[in-house]
Amino acid sequence: EAESLLKNEVDKKAKYLIKELGKTEVTQNQFDSLLLFQYNCGSAALTRSTLFKKVKANPNDKTIEAEFMRWDKAGGKQLKGLTIRRATESKLYFTK
């Protein structure tokens, strides 16, 4: 039952991401990375972020890496786990 709930949640988020990307073409790794970010930070946070605006303008913009890394704080404090997570998402995003 838990796996079914997770799959449904990921499917909903993927449909939302596809809609928000519109005609912006991204690779599978870029899509997966954005979906991970969205799942962890929320749909509204993703679509309002400078990160997403840069993706929409130019998915291959190298400054997107720095935008991922801006999201490593909770309660105003940098957290090692979030730094690692964002670095992993960024690495996946730029993997060909």
Side-chain angles (χ1 to χ4, degrees), residues 3-93:
E3 286 180 17
S4 177
L5 290 171
L6 176 62
K7 183 183 180 326
N8 288 339
E9 184 65 23
V10 171
D11 287 347
K12 280 194 309 188
K13 291 194 180 313
K15 286 177 186 173
Y16 177 89
L17 182 55
I18 290 166
K19 179 179 146 276
E20 292 299 313
L21 282 168
K23 294 183 182 199
T24 305
E25 291 186 26
V26 295
T27 67
Q28 187 64 55
N29 282 343
Q30 289 170 332
F31 183 86
D32 293 348
S33 176
L34 293 169
L35 186 59
L36 287 168
F37 181 92
Q38 176 191 6
Y39 187 85
N40 286 286
C41 296
S43 297
L46 171 69
T47 54
R48 284 186 282 189
S49 70
T50 302
L51 182 156
F52 195 68
K53 290 173 184 155
K54 287 186 176 192
V55 168
K56 296 270 297 175
N58 176 7
N60 298 308
D61 181 347
K62 291 294 183 187
T63 65
I64 291 170
E65 180 178 6
E67 295 302 324
F68 274 103
M69 300 314 296
R70 292 179 62 199
W71 290 82
D72 68 346
K73 296 169 188 64
K77 295 183 180 184
Q78 184 178 23
L79 299 179
K80 183 178 179 182
L82 289 178
T83 301
I84 292 168
R85 180 179 290 166
R86 297 291 99 82
T88 302
E89 291 165 350
S90 178
K91 182 178 178 182
L92 175 60
Y93 185 91

